[in-house]
Amino acid sequence: MPLKIYDTLTGQKVALEPIHAGEVRIYVCGPTVYDMAHIGHARAYVAFDTAVRFLRRRYKVTYVRNYTDVDDKIIKRAAEVGEDPAALAARFIREFELDMQALAVNNADVQPKVTEHMAEIIDLVATLVAKGAAYVVDGDVYFAVDKFEGYGALGRRDLTDMEAGARVEVDLRKRHPMDFALWKAAKPGEPFWESPWGQGRPGWHIECSAMSSKYLGETFDIHGGGKDLIFPHHENEIAQSRAASGKPFAKVWMHNGFVNVDNQKMSKSLGNFFTVRDVLQKFDPQTLRYFLLTTHYRSPISFSDQTLKETEARVKYLYETLARLEAKVGEGSSAPPYTNDELQQVVARFEATMEDDFNTAKALGDLSEVFTLVNDLLQRDLGDTELRTLRFLKATLTEVGAVLGLFVEPPKVVLERMAARKQADRGVDQKAVEALIALRAEARKAKDFARADAIRKELLAMGVNIKDSAAGTTWELA
RNA sequence: GGCGCGGUACCCAAGUGGCUAAGGGAAGGGUCUGCAAAACCCUCAUUCAUCGGUUCGAAUCCGAUCCGCGCCUCCA
């Protein structure tokens, strides 16, 4: 079945037909590195990471995700904290990469930086000037939007409507209020690069046009980013790239929805702002990733502490199931996996679900019954067929997880990480807990259940849940 | 004002013309357990914001209304 992707430009799902057979080229707008990544970044890059992981099952994929490491915000922030802009950008790139690694977001094939592509950017601006698509004013270069037919198509905007709209501080040097900067003359003290128009730096949008064409060609398959980039960022990219090359730009436009907090857009001014680091302090990275995948990437997703707590409980269940599964079929047995049509449907259905515009929410829902089945089998007396079925299911979950970026670490590692963080959070004294459990074990041995229950109650009051099993008593924090 | 998205059970959330409206959480009942916990099983929307319309048939298409949100300015 063909892969269908919702295309912002046409407003409908379109079948992916790669320009080069067997190969998909995709560009996703990366972060402007002037601060720590927030959960909106996490959503975007988890969404595209998952899409790319799925695409790689079928195609050779070239995935480019840039870093915007020179820009007004970086300069402003650097001045505020008294740091060199380049150093500040480099610092936040490192932090960003730590976050992405935690979230199991793979690196893109190419992660180009703006500052390392000045020659390409200047060439592109020069081409646009030469073609009459752009003009120079006092060392600035502007793109002339009214020279570009079809401006506003992506954002479904009409140039005349926008013209009528009242705008603040229209730069009178611009020929049209919507004209945007390709190159900005440097003010004193700002970082600059030499150019035919004097010392300056790239405008807000030109970098992506320059870097995408360098690594993917003038026309490529998919361009992605957050919904907020549709206008003007992506609109402007289209204008620049097409005006320069005279060829189509990206074939399909993918945009992810926002992360909302309290049903409102997360923003610094509203004070409902969370960095990835904030969240990872309280929750496991797999919890955050799972949470981000439970809603379709195009819909808004609502973030709250309560929801994350519920998600973590679910993720813990998944990993506990996997841990039990691994303990059962992990070693020893060389019995080949057993499968049948029904069991094979799991991956087939996953494929079909992901083919429909990367429906991770449904995929995760479908996976529920697999986990239930595993637990069901696990608590029976296992015959050979059941054991071999479990082997097959383990392979299935690993395969599906590899696309979703879940279950890539040993379950034990994740569970221990979750437990350790909770203990640190609550400041629970592990030794005291274990001492109480030992006392309770004695009481139980002596059939003094009243005392045993009293101790359990005491532990419960500390937030400690205990589980008795044939193998002994284990505990966890509620 | 212009453009766009959405309103599905107590909560979260799939589903965009046709089998019984996925799945998760919560809740209630059960199996297991000394009792619990965990796991498993069962129950839990004749109904998809409202009102009309199209159709043999609509949560799904069309129109109107109400409500929520986003973009139009840096933003994932």
Side-chain angles (χ1 to χ4, degrees):
Chain A
M1 285 287 281
L3 176 56
K4 283 182 297 176
I5 302 176
Y6 181 87
D7 173 32
T8 306
L9 190 59
T10 54
Q12 50 190 255
K13 285 182 194 171
V14 297
L16 178 67
E17 288 162 8
I19 295 162
H20 306 271
E23 188 182 348
V24 172
R25 302 184 185 183
I26 173 169
Y27 187 95
V28 173
C29 289
T32 299
V33 283
Y34 71 103
D35 206 344
M36 298 294 280
H38 57 249
I39 52 180
H41 290 114
R43 185 180 199 194
Y45 302 120
V46 164
F48 286 106
D49 175 64
T50 306
V52 167
R53 283 168 179 263
F54 185 67
L55 288 168
R56 287 196 204 277
R57 283 173 74 86
R58 303 182 180 188
Y59 304 100
K60 173 181 183 291
V61 177
T62 307
Y63 175 29
V64 179
R65 191 193 65 209
N66 71 287
Y67 287 114
T68 297
D69 62 344
V70 58
D71 137 288
D72 292 353
K73 288 193 294 294
I74 293 172
I75 294 167
K76 183 166 171 255
R77 178 61 54 88
E80 283 165 10
V81 301
E83 191 173 1
D84 173 62
L88 180 126
R91 181 159 65 87
F92 285 120
I93 286 175
R94 285 194 299 276
E95 299 289 6
F96 177 84
E97 291 185 343
L98 286 176
D99 287 339
M100 292 303 115
Q101 202 177 356
L103 290 170
V105 170
N106 290 144
N107 284 336
D109 299 297
V110 188
Q111 303 189 156
K113 299 184 181 77
V114 175
T115 53
E116 292 170 4
H117 293 79
M118 282 302 160
E120 289 86 349
I121 289 168
I122 289 167
D123 276 356
L124 182 57
V125 176
T127 300
L128 288 167
V129 172
K131 289 198 169 186
Y135 55 94
V136 184
V137 183
D138 304 334
D140 288 345
V141 183
Y142 292 100
F143 185 91
V145 292
D146 53 2
K147 291 272 175 59
F148 182 74
E149 202 177 330
Y151 187 80
L154 185 71
R156 283 170 229 292
R157 251 154 264 252
D158 189 68
L159 215 41
T160 53
D161 285 349
M162 289 187 284
E163 206 174 352
R167 312 196 76 82
V168 232
E169 46 177 292
V170 169
D171 187 339
L172 293 177
R173 299 174 310 159
K174 291 200 281 188
R175 295 180 190 166
H176 183 109
M178 291 307 294
D179 288 352
F180 56 91
L182 298 174
W183 188 262
K184 304 172 96 164
K187 298 188 187 87
E190 289 181 349
F192 62 81
W193 286 260
E194 297 292 345
S195 82
W197 318 284
Q199 297 178 339
R201 64 177 184 277
W204 314 331
H205 318 292
I206 194 71
E207 61 199 64
C208 291
S209 288
M211 295 190 288
S212 62
S213 72
K214 173 169 180 181
Y215 295 104
L216 301 176
E218 288 166 328
T219 303
F220 55 94
D221 299 292
I222 302 172
H223 193 130
K227 262 192 165 72
D228 49 338
L229 297 179
I230 295 172
F231 194 92
H233 185 62
H234 288 161
E235 192 75 57
N236 292 353
E237 275 188 56
I238 293 173
Q240 293 161 347
S241 291
R242 293 191 47 202
S245 72
K247 295 174 190 162
F249 187 42
K251 246 180 119 174
V252 176
W253 288 87
M254 285 177 71
H255 292 99
N256 64 274
F258 287 119
V259 174
N260 288 161
V261 176
D262 300 326
N263 208 27
Q264 275 191 310
K265 183 179 165 180
M266 177 176 78
S267 77
K268 282 183 182 170
S269 50
L270 285 169
N272 58 0
F273 189 86
F274 294 93
T275 65
V276 171
R277 224 46 81 79
D278 291 338
V279 176
L280 295 189
Q281 200 114 45
K282 289 193 75 174
F283 300 101
D284 195 84
Q286 284 282 285
T287 298
L288 179 54
R289 180 159 183 132
Y290 186 94
F291 166 72
L292 293 170
L293 295 174
T294 53
T295 299
H296 186 93
Y297 77 89
R298 280 192 284 119
S299 304
I301 188 169
S302 189
F303 179 89
S304 78
D305 206 62
Q306 184 57 31
T307 306
L308 266 282
K309 265 185 196 153
E310 287 168 8
T311 304
E312 181 133 308
R314 182 66 185 166
V315 172
K316 189 168 163 227
Y317 160 86
L318 300 178
Y319 276 102
E320 279 177 342
T321 302
L322 288 170
R324 283 191 286 265
L325 176 57
E326 221 154 75
K328 202 60 147 187
V329 304
E331 297 139 39
S333 170
S334 56
Y338 168 82
T339 187
N340 58 33
D341 286 353
E342 201 181 336
L343 293 172
Q344 291 192 330
Q345 280 311 305
V346 174
V347 172
R349 187 174 52 173
F350 175 74
E351 287 270 345
T353 298
M354 290 295 284
E355 269 168 7
D356 185 11
D357 200 24
F358 309 104
N359 195 341
T360 56
K362 179 170 188 295
L364 252 22
D366 290 345
L367 235 39
S368 284
E369 73 180 35
V370 179
F371 281 87
T372 300
L373 175 61
V374 168
N375 277 314
D376 182 29
L377 289 173
L378 239 24
Q379 66 185 22
R380 294 192 205 175
D381 290 329
L382 293 184
D384 181 58
T385 306
E386 284 84 4
L387 205 61
R388 290 171 55 207
T389 298
L390 285 172
R391 288 183 85 80
F392 180 80
L393 289 173
K394 180 166 176 275
T396 296
L397 290 172
T398 301
E399 181 179 357
V400 167
V403 176
L404 297 170
L406 302 171
F407 325 140
V408 290
E409 299 162 285
K412 245 188 120 171
V413 168
V414 178
L415 290 169
E416 277 168 10
R417 190 170 63 207
M418 284 181 170
R421 201 200 39 256
K422 266 194 182 172
Q423 280 179 45
D425 254 19
R426 309 270 190 83
V428 166
D429 182 347
Q430 195 170 333
K431 287 231 161 61
V433 170
E434 273 154 19
L436 281 169
I437 287 174
L439 282 179
R440 177 169 169 277
E442 280 176 31
R444 289 182 73 212
K445 207 169 170 189
K447 303 248 188 261
D448 184 355
F449 294 121
R451 182 163 149 71
D453 290 350
I455 296 170
R456 183 172 59 207
K457 214 172 164 188
E458 191 178 336
L459 284 163
L460 215 50
M462 295 162 67
V464 174
N465 257 5
I466 55 177
K467 300 185 201 178
D468 296 327
S469 77
T473 299
T474 58
W475 63 281
E476 66 189 9
L477 290 168

